[in-house]
Amino acid sequence: MASLAPASFGAALAAAHDAAGAQHYPQGTLYVVATPIGNLADITLRALHVLQLVDAVACEDTRHTQSLLRAYGIDRPGSQLLAVHQHNEAEAAQAVVARLAQGERIAYVSDAGTPGVSDPGARLAAAVRAAGQRVLPLPGASSVTTLVGAAGLVAEGGNDGNASSAFVFAGFLPSKAGERDAAVQVLSQEPRAVVLLEAPHRIENLARALATLGERRITVGRELTKQFEEIATVAAGALPDWFAADRDRTRGEFALVLHPVAVSGDGGAEGERVLRLLLAELPVKTAVKLAAEITGAPRNTLYDTALRIRDEAEQQD
């Protein structure tokens, strides 16, 4: 993560107080706070205010979070940092619940990005909600939405940008070769875009597994928001060669987007078949949305088809 002196954020802390200080921050609440994925300037003003306001900060790594807070000019004693990570999340959650029951405000942050998305935080949020206490999310940085926004996910052969807007978040695939290959074969049957995450020491193995998908496009995001950020789109079959062409490309943290399946020449017929099945049970708008997500056919075309099918049915009545 980029290093900036605490003084750099003095104005930001003041702005955070001015912008967010008048809002209501209930006691006995867990604040799930998104933090930057690489660039410290990507913190939100509300996050800065809450990180100063709360009674304690639960976090994935207390040393990492202490450094992060100090970079913003927020200095908290170690006693106010609570370790809640993947190895102790269930047990530590009960300690957080007990403190919330006493009326404390507690923030939870993962090492980077939005907690609970491939990072710890989901079990903590579930335990707090199960105890009848409030979970309040503070949205912010996420490698998933960051790369999706830059990938340009439009299925080849489609003419409706919305038709490809749906995506599946798969996160990290299994590390064992056989299980990873099997997971890729399952993903090959998924017509929607798929978002993956990977660590540098496994990225080349993942690239070789994804190469079996041939011409299907993949957008690679490396070191997103950081100094050496790189975003490139290549055919899946060319992915191993793309990494081999420059050894620096295997460094850093990775997000990848498997683009949606290209709309084939008979996509219209398949779209209409699925649409007719859905229209028998669902309203037009819902049926069109689901048919587009299932088949990858353009949503505008499906909507026109749905109106035609409805008109045909009315004429027969």
Side-chain angles (χ1 to χ4, degrees):
M1 184 168 290
S3 177
L4 295 174
S8 300
F9 286 92
L13 293 178
H17 177 74
D18 291 342
Q23 299 175 16
H24 179 52
Y25 299 93
Q27 294 179 301
T29 297
L30 176 70
Y31 294 83
V32 179
V33 182
T35 54
I37 59 175
N39 190 316
L40 287 175
D42 289 338
I43 193 76
T44 70
L45 293 179
R46 191 156 67 114
L48 287 175
H49 181 74
V50 166
L51 289 173
Q52 296 176 88
L53 173 71
V54 293
D55 298 291
V57 178
C59 50
E60 188 176 358
D61 183 325
T62 57
R63 291 171 297 179
H64 177 92
T65 298
Q66 185 73 279
S67 296
L68 178 69
L69 294 176
R70 286 175 176 167
Y72 292 126
I74 301 172
D75 197 6
R76 284 186 171 275
S79 60
Q80 293 182 2
L81 298 179
L82 314 175
V84 181
H85 46 73
Q86 63 176 345
H87 302 296
N88 76 342
E89 192 172 3
E91 298 81 5
Q94 297 309 311
V96 172
V97 167
R99 296 181 68 148
L100 294 175
Q102 296 174 4
E104 292 189 17
R105 300 180 183 93
I106 296 180
Y108 179 74
V109 299
S110 62
D111 284 350
T114 301
V117 182
S118 262
D119 285 328
R123 289 180 179 175
L124 175 59
V128 170
R129 294 181 65 85
Q133 292 159 325
R134 185 173 179 181
V135 177
L136 198 157
L138 274 67
S142 166
S143 60
V144 176
T145 53
T146 297
L147 188 58
V148 166
L153 299 180
V154 178
E156 294 179 3
N159 56 17
D160 180 355
N162 290 329
S164 303
S165 62
F167 66 88
V168 177
F169 176 61
F172 291 90
L173 296 188
S175 58
K176 293 183 178 179
E179 295 176 0
R180 181 174 53 245
D181 291 343
V184 169
Q185 288 306 305
V186 172
L187 294 181
S188 70
Q189 304 302 312
E190 172 56 64
R192 293 168 293 183
V194 181
V195 181
L196 303 170
L197 302 177
E198 193 51 276
H201 64 282
R202 292 202 303 259
I203 190 63
E204 290 180 284
N205 291 334
L206 177 62
R208 285 190 288 270
L210 292 173
T212 61
L213 301 181
E215 293 303 312
R216 192 163 174 183
R217 293 181 299 161
I218 294 178
T219 293
V220 181
R222 184 178 75 86
E223 293 289 85
L224 291 173
T225 77
K226 300 177 184 178
Q227 181 179 359
F228 298 107
E229 176 183 78
E230 185 173 10
I231 300 175
T233 300
V234 300
L239 195 58
D241 289 339
W242 183 84
F243 280 108
D246 185 346
R247 298 310 300 173
D248 284 341
R249 289 175 176 170
T250 61
R251 299 178 180 177
E253 299 298 323
F254 295 87
L256 305 93
V257 178
L258 181 63
H259 283 236
V261 173
V263 179
S264 61
D266 62 352
E270 176 64 9
E272 180 169 342
R273 184 188 73 81
V274 173
L275 185 60
R276 286 183 180 275
L277 293 173
L278 294 172
L279 284 172
E281 304 292 339
L282 300 170
V284 168
K285 185 176 180 180
T286 304
V288 167
K289 179 179 182 295
L290 291 175
E293 293 178 355
I294 292 169
T295 67
R299 189 175 297 188
N300 287 346
T301 301
L302 288 171
Y303 186 76
D304 292 340
T305 302
L307 296 182
R308 173 173 58 79
I309 293 172
R310 187 182 64 181
D311 291 343
E312 291 173 355
E314 291 177 349
Q315 292 174 6
Q316 292 175 359
D317 289 342

